[in-house]
Amino acid sequence: MVEKNNTISAASATSPSTNKAGTSVEIPKLDTIPIIFIPGIMGSNLRNKKSKDPVWRIGNYAGAAKTVYNQSQKSPAQLQRELNAESSEVDPTGDLYIDPRGKITSKEAKEERLWGTVHWESYGPTLMFFEGALANVQLEEKSKKWYQKADGYQLIAQDDKYLLDWLSLLSSNEKQTWNPQIGFESIDKNDIEKLKRFNFPVYALGYNWLQSNALSADDIVKTMKSIKAKYGKNFHKFIVVTHSMGGLVGRNLSKKMAGDIAGIVHGVMPSVGAPAVYRRLVAGSIEGSGVKDYAAGLVLGKNTEHVTAVLANSQGGLELLPSKDYQIIKKDKTTTPYWLSLRGTDEKGTIHVVNLPKSDPYKEIYKAHNVWWEMTKDELINPLSKKYPRKTARENFEYLIGGVQDFHESIEKHYHTHTYINFGADSKNMTFGTLHWGLDRPLTGLNPTQLQTLPRVNGQEIQNKNNQVLEKMKEIKDNKEKKEYFDKNYIPNNGFRYIRLASGRYGKFTISSKNLYGDGTVPFYSGVAPISPTKQAGIKQVFQMEGFDHQGSYGNQHVRRSVLYSIVKIIKDNNIQPRR
């Protein structure tokens, strides 16, 4: 059975009249509400526009180890050349691992639904879940013949695979795992049963995460318009589901296609940014001691040189920096904008602190230049020695920061009028709520003004000294002595900044570690920002949840169920009625 030009047709074969066995034909539902899934940063496959060679495609399952190794071997210059916003585009040819028991074929998933544009291991199982659950809405166990009840049969047929997921939406116990932060509105059986009358094709729309999220929204608009045209008079509205930075794309998208979007569900969105981005620029992306932390760090950028080479040239990633609306929520519920502090002690033991930003993080922090605590060092921005249209690498970087500010202001308090949010606030998944630089020794006469302007040591000078250490080590034969010499003389660069003392020696500032609960990446302050300190217009519900990390949020059963609830509520809120 096929649908073409908004009509249904089916082919069948005749049989002798003596054959009384019947057959079932599943009639597709014409009334269509496409589900648009928008992934997070680095979740979309990218390729070079000209050669069509992949420039970003993370391996799946066992293949991920190869990705970790390959990325760790690339130089900063190679990363800068490959991961370039202007020369990259979305790669729709990513690997798929479709469950053959599902009703969608690999060909349909890749060519029509665009699932090949996203990393399968991160998002494939989620796409399969929503595709299956929304096509199998049920609140009662299906009646079965004796042989259909056998475990072997059910392993293949999976008639009631999503039954418990749908029933859970009526359970008060399930609601408690969601931890709603706004007065909860229950749904009933009729609200859920109504979904049986709609077709919910699930699309995955990857995007070029190196460019501004506003440009990515423009690209997605074009694709969504073609999807709408495909369904013609059967189209009702889209429902958008986002992950992480995809939420920023979605918020910009909703300004451009508001009339065609019934609602948006945001998952683990850094609503007002995350200090982790600043920290990765100054310390690299290895943020824990576990194998998983180390592997993820090697892929995202193992040190400040590798991260800066990509991120300082990519407006999309820089848009994850804290906006001016990032607020620290104190115990007494008052707020402060100070998420970065510089700390030092004078000879009397008095601690001096400079808190930033006062009001403008773009000027005070991101564009701060030739100070020891600057976010981006000139010598690390352009390892490729690329020629920029704006004279220097620094000028190009500051131009991008100007674009970051414009983007932040464009979505500052904007959310779709039917917005549902889920985010992680788990003490087992600590992240960076604030950051501080701490000095390793007291300094005579130190004061706050001096603290900001202490003379920095140029990165090239440190590199030269380290090269001398590595050369000297070649002369040392004993491995133990070699290690002792290295530990004593090599100057680490990740997470440290050096100042020149009057004695000619170096003083060392160290960046702080994780200090706030969240999902391991997005801190509580950013996750809760849509409703605290001020509830923004359009926010219908916010679920503050536990039990998952940032990347794995949609693999969590309760998160998935909260999204099903949100979809039911969006349809109910909009009073969408089937036309047939």
Side-chain angles (χ1 to χ4, degrees), residues 72-86:
S72 68
Q73 298 303 302
K74 292 179 180 179
S75 68
Q78 184 179 357
L79 290 173
Q80 183 189 359
R81 179 174 55 254
E82 292 180 351
L83 297 175
N84 178 287
E86 289 75 23

Side-chain angles (χ1 to χ4, degrees), residues 32-52:
T32 300
I33 302 175
I35 305 297
I36 303 298
F37 186 85
I38 305 178
I41 187 172
M42 298 183 174
S44 303
N45 300 317
L46 300 181
R47 66 186 180 187
N48 182 275
K49 287 180 180 178
K50 292 183 178 180
S51 69
K52 305 303 180 184

Side-chain angles (χ1 to χ4, degrees), residues 62-356:
K66 183 177 180 181
T67 301
V68 171
Y69 176 78
N70 289 342
Q71 288 300 115
S72 68
Q73 298 303 302
K74 292 179 180 179
S75 68
Q78 184 179 357
L79 290 173
Q80 183 189 359
R81 179 174 55 254
E82 292 180 351
L83 297 175
N84 178 287
E86 289 75 23
S87 63
S88 299
E89 65 180 9
V90 176
D91 181 359
T93 65
D95 297 327
L96 304 185
Y97 298 82
I98 300 292
D99 187 335
R101 296 170 297 185
K103 295 181 180 180
I104 187 169
T105 65
S106 294
K107 187 175 188 299
E108 180 185 8
K110 179 169 286 191
E111 296 181 5
E112 295 184 28
R113 304 293 188 78
L114 306 176
W115 289 11
T117 64
V118 301
H119 178 230
W120 179 264
E121 187 175 351
S122 295
Y123 298 116
T126 298
L127 298 173
M128 288 292 295
F129 173 82
F130 289 116
E131 177 75 20
L134 292 167
N136 294 276
V137 179
Q138 63 177 119
L139 294 173
E140 295 180 359
E141 187 174 349
K142 295 179 181 178
S143 59
K144 302 179 183 66
K145 296 180 180 179
W146 66 268
Y147 62 86
Q148 293 175 320
K149 296 179 181 180
D151 291 341
Y153 182 94
Q154 281 303 309
L155 184 64
I156 298 174
Q158 296 188 306
D159 290 334
D160 300 315
K161 181 176 181 179
Y162 304 101
L163 175 62
L164 294 181
D165 294 304
W166 288 111
L167 283 174
S168 74
L169 306 192
L170 304 174
S171 165
S172 59
N173 290 335
E174 180 63 35
K175 182 190 76 173
Q176 289 176 7
T177 68
W178 303 343
N179 191 19
Q181 299 298 294
I182 299 174
F184 186 78
E185 297 181 8
S186 298
I187 55 176
D188 58 30
K189 290 185 177 181
N190 292 332
D191 297 326
I192 298 173
E193 292 282 357
K194 183 179 177 180
L195 270 63
K196 291 182 177 180
R197 302 181 65 183
F198 292 96
N199 174 34
F200 294 97
V202 176
Y203 290 81
L205 300 191
Y207 56 93
N208 182 355
W209 41 268
L210 297 166
Q211 67 183 7
S212 171
N213 289 300
L215 295 178
S216 293
D218 291 339
D219 292 340
I220 289 176
V221 164
K222 296 174 186 176
T223 305
M224 289 175 65
K225 285 182 176 179
S226 68
I227 293 171
K228 177 183 176 181
K230 171 187 175 181
Y231 293 104
K233 63 183 180 181
N234 294 324
F235 172 84
H236 282 263
K237 287 193 174 187
F238 295 104
I239 293 177
V240 177
V241 180
T242 75
H243 179 251
S244 188
M245 190 173 86
L248 306 187
V249 178
R251 285 163 65 188
N252 188 271
L253 173 70
S254 71
K255 299 179 69 174
K256 298 167 178 174
M257 287 198 76
D260 285 325
I261 297 174
I264 301 184
V265 184
H266 293 298
V268 295
M269 174 175 58
S271 305
V272 290
V277 181
Y278 174 98
R279 194 181 190 281
R280 288 175 182 176
L281 278 160
V282 303
S285 299
I286 300 175
E287 297 168 348
S289 57
V291 174
K292 183 179 179 181
D293 297 317
Y294 190 75
L298 289 178
V299 173
L300 300 176
K302 61 183 178 181
N303 54 37
T304 180
E305 292 86 357
H306 286 73
V307 174
T308 303
V310 176
L311 209 53
N313 293 285
S314 307
Q315 185 172 326
L318 291 171
E319 286 169 359
L320 290 172
L321 284 163
S323 72
K324 67 180 181 62
D325 293 315
Y326 188 90
Q327 296 287 313
I328 310 307
I329 305 171
K330 299 180 180 179
K331 291 182 179 180
D332 62 1
K333 302 302 180 182
T334 59
T335 61
T336 173
Y338 307 140
W339 58 265
L340 179 67
S341 64
L342 320 177
R343 302 180 186 180
T345 305
D346 64 23
E347 76 282 6
K348 297 178 181 179
T350 303
I351 300 174
H352 299 276
V353 180
V354 175
N355 291 314
L356 298 168

Side-chain angles (χ1 to χ4, degrees), residues 325-549:
D325 293 315
Y326 188 90
Q327 296 287 313
I328 310 307
I329 305 171
K330 299 180 180 179
K331 291 182 179 180
D332 62 1
K333 302 302 180 182
T334 59
T335 61
T336 173
Y338 307 140
W339 58 265
L340 179 67
S341 64
L342 320 177
R343 302 180 186 180
T345 305
D346 64 23
E347 76 282 6
K348 297 178 181 179
T350 303
I351 300 174
H352 299 276
V353 180
V354 175
N355 291 314
L356 298 168
K358 307 299 182 187
S359 61
D360 183 353
Y362 313 99
K363 180 180 179 180
E364 298 173 42
I365 300 177
Y366 310 145
K367 292 183 180 180
H369 191 212
N370 287 331
V371 289
W372 64 263
W373 47 274
E374 67 181 342
M375 181 177 76
T376 307
K377 296 180 180 180
D378 285 356
E379 58 266 31
L380 301 183
I381 297 175
N382 189 22
L384 192 60
S385 298
K386 171 184 174 181
K387 290 185 178 181
Y388 292 91
R390 280 163 288 280
K391 295 184 180 178
T392 69
R394 166 59 60 170
E395 288 170 332
N396 186 74
F397 168 73
E398 294 193 359
Y399 174 83
L400 293 181
I401 292 296
V404 169
Q405 182 173 0
D406 291 342
F407 177 78
H408 284 172
E409 291 175 353
S410 75
I411 64 167
E412 182 177 355
K413 299 186 187 305
H414 177 79
Y415 294 87
H416 189 275
T417 52
H418 296 282
T419 292
Y420 289 78
I421 294 173
N422 60 78
F423 76 97
D426 194 332
S427 60
K428 294 179 181 178
N429 290 301
M430 298 293 285
T431 186
F432 307 98
T434 59
L435 295 169
H436 72 262
W437 288 101
L439 184 58
D440 65 345
R441 68 194 70 199
L443 293 182
T444 302
L446 186 67
N447 60 56
T449 300
Q450 188 184 45
L451 183 57
Q452 292 186 78
T453 57
L454 290 166
R456 73 184 283 261
V457 177
N458 184 278
Q460 189 59 55
E461 179 179 335
I462 293 174
Q463 184 62 51
N464 291 340
K465 286 184 175 292
N466 283 338
N467 287 339
Q468 293 173 11
V469 171
L470 295 177
E471 284 299 316
K472 179 66 175 177
M473 286 176 62
K474 294 178 181 179
E475 302 174 9
I476 303 174
K477 304 302 181 183
D478 184 78
N479 288 335
K480 182 178 179 182
E481 290 182 16
K482 186 178 292 188
K483 183 179 184 305
E484 290 175 350
Y485 179 82
F486 179 86
D487 293 342
K488 182 179 179 180
N489 295 282
Y490 193 86
I491 305 172
N493 200 25
N494 282 323
F496 304 105
R497 290 294 171 84
Y498 298 91
I499 58 170
R500 195 181 310 281
L501 304 176
S503 64
R505 300 181 66 184
Y506 295 165
K508 182 173 71 175
F509 281 91
T510 303
I511 195 70
S512 57
S513 300
K514 295 180 177 182
N515 65 346
L516 182 70
Y517 55 94
D519 62 21
T521 299
V522 176
F524 169 77
Y525 302 142
S526 194
V528 79
I531 59 170
S532 181
T534 303
K535 180 178 178 293
Q536 303 301 327
I539 306 299
K540 298 298 184 181
Q541 186 55 266
V542 173
F543 297 123
Q544 180 179 317
M545 305 176 71
E546 298 180 346
F548 52 84
D549 63 11

